[in-house]
């Protein structure tokens, strides 16, 4: 008999069973699974934490700085000499020695004295007759015999010079040289008139520490025969210093 098409029941058309549910999409065997697309904005990566320098690193840096300063000072010293030496251990010629020059004496050229007056003319003339005069180098002046002076000129018993303070001969004109002469090249306390010209000739620098504790330098500039007496007349220039 002829096949009759069966029309589904209207009531059944509203039911959908599990087997009849429409799939979400076509499924192909072996097809790879697609990864979701990356986001439009990627968050920045977290910055690595800052490392704090360790104590060892800081000490090493400080040592390096000190070594650099020492090396620079060694190559160019403050005294102008280089640090290079020859194989013999001596610095090359032209650089000079790194040792300081010999210092001046502790007293220096002024020997701790300041000038009172300089090159003042002074005449040491023979006293007339049998008399005695004394020379005060601190003033300066020649007066009648008075204690507390430096030189005594006597025309008694042939004539002589006498020194009340140690009198020496100086090799120079500085206080230091004068003081050294007064202490080292000391003249006799008395010099007879006949020996004066040879013992104290022109150009002699007589030095003494005065009774007022000053330093006196008496430079002889001229000697003439006495007009009355045995002692020759002396012309000199006197310089006086006092302690600072």
């Amino acid at each position: 008999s002829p096949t009759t098409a069966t029309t589904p029941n209207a009531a059944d058309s509203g039911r959908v069973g599990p087997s009849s549910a429409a799939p979400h999409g076509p499924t192909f065997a072996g097809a790879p699974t697609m990864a979701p697309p990356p986001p439009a904005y990627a968050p920045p990566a977290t910055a690595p934490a800052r490392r704090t320098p360790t104590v060892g690193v800081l000490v090493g840096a400080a040592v390096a700085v000190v070594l650099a300063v020492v090396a620079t000072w060694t190559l160019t010293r403050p005294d102008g000499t280089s640090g290079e030496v020859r194989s013999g251990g001596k610095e090359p010629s032209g650089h000079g020695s790194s040792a300081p020059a010999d210092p001046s004496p502790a007293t220096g050229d002024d020997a701790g004295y300041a000038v009172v007056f300089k090159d003042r003319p002074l005449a040491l003339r023979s006293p007339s007759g049998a008399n005695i005069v004394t020379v005060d180098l601190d003033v300066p002046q020649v007066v009648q015999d008075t204690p507390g002076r430096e030189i005594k000129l006597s025309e008694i018993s042939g004539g002589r010079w006498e020194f009340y303070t140690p009198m020496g001969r100086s090799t120079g004109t500085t206080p230091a040289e004068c003081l050294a002469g007064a202490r080292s090249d000391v003249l006799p306390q008395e010099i007879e008139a006949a020996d004066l010209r040879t013992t104290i000739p022109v150009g002699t620098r007589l030095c003494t520490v005065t009774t007022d504790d000053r330093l006196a330098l008496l430079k002889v500039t001229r000697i003439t025969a006495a007009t009355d007496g045995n002692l020759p007349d002396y012309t000199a220039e006197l310089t006086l210093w006092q302690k600072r």
Side-chain angles (χ1 to χ4, degrees):
S1 63
T3 304
T4 304
T6 305
T7 303
N9 193 334
D12 294 335
S13 62
R15 298 176 188 171
V16 180
S19 59
S20 61
H24 292 287
T27 301
F28 301 94
T33 303
M34 300 298 291
Y41 169 76
T46 303
R50 181 177 296 178
R51 297 179 61 186
T52 302
T54 63
V55 174
V57 173
L58 295 177
V59 171
V63 171
V65 171
V66 171
L67 291 178
V69 171
V70 171
T72 302
W73 181 90
T74 302
L75 293 176
T76 307
R77 296 176 183 172
D79 58 4
T81 60
S82 65
E84 61 176 344
V85 295
R86 293 182 178 178
S87 58
K90 297 181 180 179
E91 295 191 5
S93 60
H95 290 283
S97 174
S98 59
D102 293 337
S104 301
T107 55
D109 288 341
D110 63 1
Y113 286 88
V115 175
V116 177
F117 52 78
K118 183 177 177 63
D119 296 337
R120 179 172 295 184
L122 179 64
L124 287 74
R125 295 188 177 92
S126 171
S128 59
N131 290 316
I132 297 174
V133 294
T134 55
V135 182
D136 187 348
L137 297 178
D138 288 299
V139 177
Q141 64 182 357
V142 178
V143 296
Q144 293 299 318
D145 187 13
T146 306
R149 311 303 182 189
E150 288 72 45
I151 306 174
K152 176 181 178 180
L153 308 182
S154 173
E155 273 289 0
I156 300 175
S157 302
R160 71 188 56 83
W161 278 19
E162 297 180 21
F163 302 116
Y164 292 117
T165 56
M167 186 73 67
R169 288 173 291 201
S170 174
T171 59
T173 59
T174 66
E177 293 169 326
C178 185
L179 187 60
R183 292 173 174 174
S184 60
D185 191 7
V186 180
L187 295 173
Q189 186 177 1
E190 295 185 10
I191 303 176
E192 298 296 327
D195 300 326
L196 276 173
R197 289 176 179 269
T198 56
T199 306
I200 308 177
V202 173
T204 302
R205 300 182 184 94
L206 297 175
C207 284
T208 189
V209 176
T210 70
T211 53
D212 288 348
D213 201 26
R214 293 178 174 180
L215 183 62
L217 184 150
L218 191 67
K219 180 181 178 181
V220 178
T221 59
R222 185 181 179 186
I223 303 175
T224 58
T227 56
D228 184 13
N230 297 314
L231 292 176
D233 292 335
Y234 273 70
T235 303
E237 293 176 346
L238 177 64
T239 298
L240 190 70
W241 296 279
Q242 66 182 4
K243 289 184 177 180
R244 295 182 183 275

